[in-house]
Amino acid sequence: MSRLVVVSNRVADPRKAAAGGLAVALGDALNTAGGLWFGWSGTVIAGGTPGEGELHLQKAGTVTLATVDLCAEDHADYYLGYSNSVLWPVFHYRLDLARFDAGYFGAYRRVNRLFARQLLTRLLPDDIIWVHDYHLIPLADELRALGATQRIGFFLHVPLPPQQLLAAIPQHEWLMHALFAYDLVGFQSEADLQNFSRYVQAEAGAEDLGDNYYKAFGRTVQAGAFPIGIDVDEFAALTHGKDAREMYERMKDEYSRRQLLLGVERLDYSKGLPQRLRAFKALLKKYPDNLRSATLIQIASPSREAMDTYTDLLQELESLCGAINGDFGELDWMPVRYMHRNVARKRLPGLYRVARVALVTPLRDGMNLVAKEFIAAQDPADPGVLMLSRFAGAAEQLKDALLVNPYDTDGMADTIQRALQMPLQERQARHQTLLKNIREQDVHWWRMTFLKALGAAARG
Ligand code: ADP
Ligand code: F6P
């Protein structure tokens, strides 16, 4: 059987907890299959040479972690720069936040070349290579240039925007050309797949060969939608574990007289946090029966803190939380409990289970695994309600959530009220369907479906 080689910028010990959908899902996938996980070590070497980085090897159970250091310049221009100041904002439909600095692109190519060079030394002829996310779009092209003939698949964890937005990236053609070096390109949703199809036909004159095969730039690639899932059984087991139960009991006690609303995510502008807080404020104003009762627990884990866009958001959030508590709080009740940190993965299900409503309201999100984790952690006899943005990739699958438009403050407030008032029978019925959805397309389904399609993709 071929060995699985996973490549992603972020690498994490699959036996430990991580924040970020990619690390969590790949940890689950590799724990099952074993193999090699290659990417950035997370170390930044001050004064190192651009395009150079030492390779480290480490065993983590059945998985070998192979990681490369980045010098400070490459970290600044490839990771913070091209990946997170150009591709991340544009792929999340935020042209207003993109910074097209000329130096970033060179670093992006340089680091992809470095990764290809270092990875090549660890490859076996029969390996199946699975590359992940926007940091590494040109990796297959670089590997092919060095002579790699293995099957290589690519999965984009973030959305692919429509043609007109994508075309704002000065190197858009180059990026899309690079995707044709893969044998299979996977997206989170049908909407992303459609955007790909429209782009390649309109901008690159691609020929649609049927069955999602496209021919352009003298190459053929297959594309597909493979919505990522979670390990439902593992998450349900965590829910019944000691740490989660303790968390549940403690919170239940502490908030026995309150209705809990919960938000959990990385502190990122794609997640719609200010919009959510404004909607919560509107709820308290419009439906005063929630005063002294509805309590929003907002946990936002630190992310990309070296960037202004993220520190600006942090300040905005702190000021919104402070203002809501100042305006509505009482000596014995604070409407918002905001924490800027990670929650231990073992305890997280306890928090999900105690919440009456989960607010998963991104402005744009590739998938959103928090939505799926919330469903898996519920008590089917008395489940909480999932409020989900229609702009999350997960909305294509989770139609029985209460779907909302995060830009519509008043509409969101009304939907929160509806969620808080939802009768038990309706909560149970919705939860039952949602649970079925996340079971049918879980993380194992995702891995197997993608790898099967990669193995079967016609090459050319
Ligand atoms: P993204 O990949 O954009 O971060 P996802 O919702 O797809 O968003 O995945 C986030 C993952 O990280 C989930 O598995 C979630 O449990 C975890 N996570 C996010 N925020 C936190 C936090 N504050 N504490 C602990 N885990 C978190
Ligand atoms: O899942 C989307 C994603 O951007 C991953 O690629 C990334 O690892 C994760 O979110 C967290 O971001 P970062 O790796 O920049 O901390």
Side-chain angles (χ1 to χ4, degrees), residues 2-6 126-132 140 144 150-155 181-186 213 221-224 226 446-459:
S2 298
R3 180 179 66 155
L4 175 63
V5 175
V6 164
D126 278 347
D127 282 344
I128 294 271
I129 306 170
W130 192 3
V131 179
H132 293 262
R144 300 267 184 245
Q150 289 86 347
R151 275 182 192 271
I152 316 180
F154 178 78
F155 185 79
Y182 291 95
D183 297 301
L184 175 68
V185 172
Y213 278 94
V221 73
Q222 191 182 21
F226 303 88
W446 173 70
R447 173 177 52 85
M448 288 187 300
T449 315
F450 185 92
L451 292 176
K452 194 170 161 212
L454 177 57
R459 311 195 69 186

Coordinates of all heavy atoms in Angstrom, one line a residue, residues 2-6 126-132 140 144 150-155 181-186 213 221-224 226 446-459:
S2 N 0.5 2.3 -0.7 CA 1.3 3.5 -0.8 C 1.3 4.2 0.5 O 0.3 4.2 1.3 CB 0.7 4.5 -1.8 OG 0.7 3.9 -3.1
R3 N 2.4 4.9 0.8 CA 2.4 5.7 2.0 C 1.7 7.1 1.8 O 1.9 7.6 0.7 CB 3.9 6.0 2.4 CG 4.1 6.8 3.7 CD 5.6 6.9 4.0 NE 6.3 7.7 3.0 CZ 7.4 8.4 3.2 NH1 7.9 8.4 4.4 NH2 8.0 9.1 2.3
L4 N 1.1 7.6 2.8 CA 0.4 8.9 2.6 C 1.4 10.0 3.1 O 2.0 9.9 4.2 CB -0.8 9.0 3.5 CG -1.6 10.3 3.5 CD1 -2.0 10.8 2.1 CD2 -2.7 10.3 4.5
V5 N 1.7 11.0 2.3 CA 2.5 12.1 2.6 C 1.6 13.4 2.6 O 1.1 13.8 1.6 CB 3.7 12.3 1.6 CG1 4.5 13.6 2.0 CG2 4.6 11.1 1.7
V6 N 1.4 13.9 3.8 CA 0.6 15.1 3.9 C 1.5 16.3 4.0 O 2.5 16.3 4.7 CB -0.3 15.1 5.2 CG1 -0.8 16.4 5.5 CG2 -1.4 14.1 4.9
D126 N 6.4 5.4 -4.5 CA 5.0 5.1 -4.5 C 4.2 6.0 -3.6 O 3.0 5.7 -3.4 CB 4.8 3.6 -4.0 CG 5.0 2.7 -5.2 OD1 5.1 3.1 -6.3 OD2 5.2 1.4 -4.9
D127 N 4.8 7.0 -3.1 CA 4.0 7.9 -2.1 C 2.8 8.5 -2.8 O 2.9 8.8 -4.0 CB 4.9 9.0 -1.6 CG 5.9 8.5 -0.5 OD1 5.6 7.4 0.0 OD2 6.8 9.2 -0.2
I128 N 1.8 8.7 -2.0 CA 0.7 9.5 -2.5 C 0.8 10.9 -1.7 O 0.9 10.9 -0.5 CB -0.7 8.9 -2.1 CG1 -0.9 7.6 -2.8 CG2 -1.8 9.9 -2.3 CD1 -1.6 7.7 -4.1
I129 N 0.9 11.9 -2.4 CA 1.2 13.2 -1.8 C -0.1 14.1 -1.8 O -0.7 14.3 -2.8 CB 2.3 14.0 -2.5 CG1 3.6 13.1 -2.7 CG2 2.7 15.3 -1.8 CD1 4.6 13.6 -3.6
W130 N -0.4 14.6 -0.6 CA -1.6 15.4 -0.4 C -1.2 16.8 0.2 O -0.8 16.8 1.3 CB -2.6 14.7 0.5 CG -4.0 15.2 0.5 CD1 -4.4 16.3 -0.2 CD2 -5.1 14.8 1.3 NE1 -5.8 16.5 0.1 CE2 -6.2 15.6 1.0 CE3 -5.2 13.8 2.3 CZ2 -7.4 15.5 1.6 CZ3 -6.5 13.6 2.9 CH2 -7.5 14.4 2.6
V131 N -1.3 17.8 -0.7 CA -0.9 19.1 -0.3 C -2.1 19.9 0.2 O -3.2 19.8 -0.4 CB -0.2 19.8 -1.5 CG1 0.3 21.3 -1.1 CG2 1.0 19.0 -2.0
H132 N -1.9 20.7 1.2 CA -3.0 21.5 1.8 C -2.9 23.0 1.8 O -1.8 23.5 2.3 CB -3.3 21.0 3.2 CG -3.8 19.6 3.3 ND1 -5.1 19.2 3.3 CD2 -3.1 18.4 3.1 CE1 -5.2 17.9 3.3 NE2 -4.0 17.4 3.2
A140 N 3.2 21.5 -6.1 CA 3.3 20.4 -7.1 C 4.1 20.8 -8.3 O 4.9 20.1 -8.8 CB 1.9 20.0 -7.5
R144 N 7.3 18.9 -9.5 CA 7.4 18.3 -10.9 C 8.7 18.8 -11.5 O 9.3 18.0 -12.2 CB 6.2 18.7 -11.7 CG 4.8 18.2 -11.1 CD 4.4 16.9 -11.7 NE 3.1 16.5 -11.2 CZ 2.9 15.4 -10.4 NH1 3.9 14.7 -10.0 NH2 1.6 15.1 -10.1
Q150 N 5.2 11.3 -8.6 CA 4.1 10.7 -7.7 C 2.8 11.4 -8.0 O 2.7 12.5 -8.5 CB 4.4 10.9 -6.2 CG 5.6 10.1 -5.7 CD 6.9 10.7 -5.9 OE1 7.1 11.7 -6.7 NE2 7.9 10.2 -5.3
R151 N 1.7 10.7 -7.6 CA 0.4 11.4 -7.7 C 0.4 12.5 -6.6 O 0.8 12.2 -5.5 CB -0.7 10.4 -7.3 CG -1.2 9.6 -8.5 CD -2.3 8.7 -8.2 NE -2.5 7.8 -9.3 CZ -3.2 8.1 -10.4 NH1 -4.0 9.2 -10.4 NH2 -3.3 7.2 -11.4
I152 N -0.1 13.7 -7.0 CA -0.2 14.8 -6.0 C -1.6 15.4 -6.1 O -2.1 15.8 -7.1 CB 0.9 15.9 -6.3 CG1 2.3 15.2 -6.6 CG2 1.0 16.8 -5.1 CD1 3.3 16.3 -6.9
G153 N -2.2 15.5 -4.9 CA -3.5 16.1 -4.8 C -3.4 17.4 -4.0 O -2.4 17.5 -3.2
F154 N -4.3 18.3 -4.2 CA -4.4 19.5 -3.5 C -5.7 19.7 -2.9 O -6.7 19.5 -3.5 CB -4.0 20.7 -4.4 CG -4.1 22.0 -3.7 CD1 -3.0 22.5 -2.9 CD2 -5.2 22.9 -3.9 CE1 -3.0 23.7 -2.3 CE2 -5.2 24.1 -3.3 CZ -4.1 24.5 -2.5
F155 N -5.8 20.2 -1.6 CA -7.1 20.5 -1.0 C -7.0 21.9 -0.4 O -6.1 22.3 0.3 CB -7.5 19.5 0.1 CG -8.8 19.8 0.6 CD1 -9.9 19.4 -0.1 CD2 -9.0 20.5 1.8 CE1 -11.2 19.7 0.4 CE2 -10.3 20.8 2.3 CZ -11.4 20.4 1.6
A181 N -0.8 21.5 -12.1 CA 0.3 20.6 -11.9 C -0.2 19.4 -11.0 O 0.5 18.4 -10.8 CB 1.5 21.2 -11.3
Y182 N -1.3 19.6 -10.4 CA -1.9 18.5 -9.5 C -2.7 17.5 -10.3 O -3.1 17.9 -11.4 CB -2.8 19.1 -8.4 CG -2.0 19.9 -7.4 CD1 -1.8 21.3 -7.5 CD2 -1.4 19.3 -6.3 CE1 -1.1 22.0 -6.6 CE2 -0.6 20.0 -5.4 CZ -0.5 21.4 -5.5 OH 0.2 22.1 -4.6
D183 N -2.9 16.3 -9.8 CA -3.7 15.4 -10.4 C -5.2 15.6 -10.0 O -6.1 15.2 -10.7 CB -3.3 13.9 -10.0 CG -1.9 13.7 -10.6 OD1 -1.7 13.8 -11.8 OD2 -1.0 13.4 -9.7
L184 N -5.4 16.1 -8.8 CA -6.7 16.4 -8.3 C -6.7 17.6 -7.4 O -5.8 17.8 -6.6 CB -7.2 15.2 -7.4 CG -8.6 15.3 -6.8 CD1 -9.7 15.4 -7.8 CD2 -8.8 14.2 -5.8
V185 N -7.7 18.5 -7.6 CA -7.8 19.7 -6.8 C -9.1 19.7 -6.1 O -10.2 19.6 -6.7 CB -7.7 21.0 -7.7 CG1 -8.0 22.2 -6.9 CG2 -6.3 21.1 -8.3
G186 N -9.1 19.7 -4.7 CA -10.3 19.6 -4.0 C -10.7 20.9 -3.3 O -9.9 21.6 -2.8
Y213 N -13.2 17.3 -15.2 CA -11.9 17.4 -15.7 C -11.8 18.7 -16.6 O -12.7 19.0 -17.4 CB -11.6 16.2 -16.7 CG -11.1 15.0 -15.9 CD1 -12.1 14.0 -15.5 CD2 -9.8 14.8 -15.5 CE1 -11.7 12.9 -14.8 CE2 -9.4 13.7 -14.8 CZ -10.4 12.7 -14.5 OH -10.0 11.6 -13.7
V221 N -6.6 18.7 -15.3 CA -6.7 18.4 -13.9 C -8.2 18.1 -13.6 O -9.1 18.5 -14.3 CB -6.3 19.7 -13.1 CG1 -7.3 20.8 -13.2 CG2 -6.0 19.3 -11.6
Q222 N -8.3 17.2 -12.6 CA -9.7 17.0 -12.1 C -10.0 17.8 -10.9 O -9.0 18.0 -10.1 CB -9.9 15.5 -11.8 CG -11.4 15.2 -11.6 CD -11.7 13.7 -11.2 OE1 -10.8 13.0 -10.7 NE2 -12.9 13.3 -11.4
A223 N -11.2 18.3 -10.8 CA -11.5 19.1 -9.6 C -12.7 18.5 -8.9 O -13.4 17.6 -9.5 CB -11.9 20.6 -10.0
G224 N -13.0 18.8 -7.6 CA -14.1 18.2 -7.0 C -14.4 18.9 -5.6 O -13.5 19.7 -5.1
F226 N -15.1 18.3 -1.7 CA -14.9 17.3 -0.7 C -15.1 18.0 0.7 O -14.1 18.3 1.3 CB -13.5 16.6 -0.8 CG -13.2 16.0 -2.1 CD1 -12.7 16.8 -3.2 CD2 -13.5 14.7 -2.4 CE1 -12.4 16.3 -4.4 CE2 -13.2 14.1 -3.6 CZ -12.7 14.9 -4.6
W446 N -14.1 12.1 4.3 CA -13.4 13.1 3.6 C -12.1 12.6 3.1 O -11.7 12.7 1.9 CB -13.2 14.3 4.6 CG -12.3 15.4 4.0 CD1 -12.6 16.3 3.0 CD2 -11.0 15.7 4.5 NE1 -11.5 17.1 2.9 CE2 -10.5 16.8 3.7 CE3 -10.1 15.2 5.5 CZ2 -9.3 17.4 3.9 CZ3 -8.9 15.8 5.7 CH2 -8.5 16.9 4.9
R447 N -11.3 12.0 4.0 CA -10.0 11.4 3.7 C -10.1 10.4 2.6 O -9.4 10.4 1.6 CB -9.3 10.9 4.9 CG -8.0 10.2 4.6 CD -7.3 9.7 6.0 NE -8.2 9.0 6.8 CZ -8.5 7.7 6.7 NH1 -7.8 6.9 5.8 NH2 -9.3 7.1 7.6
M448 N -11.0 9.4 2.8 CA -11.1 8.3 1.9 C -11.7 8.7 0.6 O -11.2 8.2 -0.5 CB -12.0 7.2 2.5 CG -11.3 6.5 3.7 SD -12.2 5.1 4.4 CE -13.7 5.7 4.9
T449 N -12.6 9.6 0.5 CA -13.2 10.0 -0.7 C -12.2 10.8 -1.6 O -12.0 10.6 -2.8 CB -14.4 10.9 -0.5 OG1 -15.2 10.3 0.5 CG2 -15.3 11.1 -1.8
F450 N -11.4 11.7 -0.9 CA -10.4 12.4 -1.6 C -9.3 11.5 -2.1 O -9.0 11.6 -3.3 CB -9.8 13.5 -0.7 CG -8.8 14.4 -1.5 CD1 -9.3 15.6 -2.1 CD2 -7.5 14.0 -1.6 CE1 -8.4 16.4 -2.8 CE2 -6.6 14.8 -2.4 CZ -7.1 16.0 -3.0
L451 N -8.8 10.6 -1.3 CA -7.7 9.8 -1.7 C -8.1 8.8 -2.7 O -7.3 8.4 -3.6 CB -7.1 9.1 -0.4 CG -6.4 10.0 0.5 CD1 -5.8 9.3 1.7 CD2 -5.2 10.8 -0.2
K452 N -9.4 8.3 -2.7 CA -9.9 7.4 -3.7 C -9.9 8.1 -5.0 O -9.5 7.6 -6.1 CB -11.3 6.9 -3.3 CG -11.7 5.7 -4.1 CD -13.0 5.1 -3.4 CE -13.7 4.3 -4.5 NZ -15.1 4.2 -4.4
A453 N -10.4 9.3 -5.0 CA -10.5 10.1 -6.2 C -9.1 10.4 -6.8 O -8.9 10.4 -8.0 CB -11.3 11.4 -6.0
L454 N -8.2 10.7 -5.9 CA -6.8 11.0 -6.3 C -6.2 9.8 -7.0 O -5.5 9.9 -8.0 CB -6.0 11.5 -5.1 CG -4.5 11.7 -5.3 CD1 -4.3 12.8 -6.4 CD2 -3.8 12.2 -4.0
G455 N -6.4 8.6 -6.3 CA -5.9 7.4 -6.9 C -6.5 7.0 -8.3 O -5.8 6.5 -9.1
A456 N -7.7 7.5 -8.5 CA -8.4 7.1 -9.7 C -8.3 8.2 -10.8 O -8.7 8.0 -12.0 CB -9.9 6.9 -9.4
A457 N -7.8 9.4 -10.4 CA -7.7 10.5 -11.4 C -6.9 10.2 -12.6 O -5.7 9.7 -12.4 CB -7.2 11.8 -10.7
A458 N -7.4 10.4 -13.8 CA -6.6 10.2 -15.0 C -5.5 11.2 -15.1 O -5.7 12.4 -14.7 CB -7.6 10.3 -16.2
R459 N -4.3 10.8 -15.5 CA -3.2 11.8 -15.4 C -2.9 12.4 -16.8 O -3.1 11.7 -17.8 CB -2.0 11.0 -14.9 CG -2.3 10.2 -13.6 CD -1.0 9.8 -12.9 NE -0.3 10.9 -12.3 CZ 0.9 10.8 -11.7 NH1 1.5 9.7 -11.7 NH2 1.5 11.9 -11.2

